[in-house]
Amino acid sequence: MTPRAGMLIAAGALVAGTVTVLPAAPAGAGEPAPRPLPPLAWTGCATKAYPKLQCATLKVPLNHDDPAGRSITLALTRVPHTASTFQGPLLVNPGGPGGSGRAMAGYVAASLPPKVAAEYDVIGFDPRGVGKSEPALDCEPGHFAPVRADSVPTGAEAERAAVDRARSFAEACGKKYADVLPYIDTVSTARDLDAIRAALGAPQINYLGYSYGTYLGAVYARLHPDRVRRMALDSVVNPHGVWYEDNISQDYAFDTRHKDFMAWVARQDAVYKLGTDPAAVEASWYRMRDALRAAPAGGKVGPGELEDTFLPGGYYNGYWPRLANAFSAYVNDADPAPLKEAYERYGEADAAADNGYSVYTSVQCRDAAWPRDWNVWRKDSWDVHAKAPFSTWNNAWYNAPCAFWPVESLTPPDVTNDQLPPVLILQATDDAATPYEGGVALHRLVRGSSLVVEQGGGNHGVTLGGNDCLDDHLATYLATGKVPRAEGDAEVDAVCEALPEPEPEPLTATGKKAQGEKAADGRTSGEKAPEKRAGRAGIPLAEPVGVALHGLLGHVR
């Protein structure tokens, strides 16, 4: 599941749910006849990074059960195949819900081995409601404008204000998009995938999905198993917990991952000067959080914004050096400027983030039942916070509109499947956003699937991000359809070692860097560069390969 920068898609605790059994194959004569689709009109929309990129739009029914009714528009991208051997379309999705997928086509085509990429039309798309698709939802612009109240309620009055804020967001969505919200859900999006397939003139699709995209792929595969040729699922949503139950796992997992980060900072005491005891480093982080309640850094970074800033570090450890720099500068030098800069880079919401959050809530609140009694949320959140304080309440408020959602919830489909060709599942053991149990659960539900594990890996989204072992498994699968198989009764079919931990980023003698100071590559502080960045000492550092991927997955802009 991939939220906007700095915002975790999580809340709450355990809830029992029922499942709806979807048809194991396309419905028969009782299903409405599909609307005839004209050929897609591809036009050039090349970028410097992706010179072969093309764009198109596709009209699909808002309500797939009423194909003659209102249409909405999906925005698509393509990098066309160039080899004489053509293996069909490869649809790619970065997750969310609410993640824009148009840029994924160029990235995936450029990141796969050229011989493999050349055999596919790599297709990106903005799901319904997202980005350049129309209508694009934005329920309440500026909902995350700083400085918000502390995410951890300081009393009954503060809690009531936060509940009212969540209710207001849900009401704004209902007033603005009353006719659309009943059709912003995973099953409707999966049916859009099949409309894209039909418009491409392909009898089957190949699919690569990350995070929430794994759940979208699993739902599509349940609807249309005969239309799946190859399917790779990276960082898997646990289908047993959609959506409230999965979030309790996230709360614990992100707290553990934050502790991993604090331990890394402690091992780098020679650079960051925050101590060698991980518990003491973590205590310093929470003292920083407390201090920001009274005096937000740069007038923008209070406790909630601090959590937003450091949450991306739970998705991808390539962000740790810069986050540690900001942490160190604040604690050791009383310098809030790097912390403000880090927030603007990793946590601050813009219009695209507002759109992504609007679609996120629309899908998750519609997909599955959420408690309507706030007392359930309160008890669960305090219980979890007592053990995992890093982001539990932040997550609760992020999802709290679902307690007041104006559209009735559906029930999650059963994604059990025994009719697919081999499916490749890739999962890191220490992933916080989609914990390891999700990959195992889907592996057990999809007969004949293959589970490839990154042992000791803590990043979310593990292929095409620099791990050659994982990338080789993906490339072999897309090239040949072959998956690794374990011997005997072993559940894991192949194991790849995790990438090394990041190296610390050098500091200046004082640990300070002036706002607007020019870096070695000519950027001012806060600007991003695709290939190089400057350390706070002005020393150019190679940008980790995974930075580009995790930007596309929504972990940072």
Side-chain angles (χ1 to χ4, degrees), residues 189-208:
T189 305
R191 297 177 77 174
D192 289 344
L193 286 183
D194 204 54
I196 295 172
R197 176 203 59 77
L200 293 169
Q204 294 179 309
I205 65 167
N206 307 280
Y207 182 83
L208 170 61

Side-chain angles (χ1 to χ4, degrees), residues 49-85:
Y50 309 125
K52 297 179 182 178
L53 199 66
Q54 301 173 345
C55 293
T57 58
L58 173 66
K59 290 188 178 298
V60 298
L62 173 64
N63 177 4
H64 281 280
D65 290 330
D66 181 18
R70 176 181 171 183
S71 294
I72 59 174
T73 301
L74 305 180
L76 314 179
T77 56
R78 177 178 74 168
V79 176
H81 73 285
T82 56
S84 57
T85 299

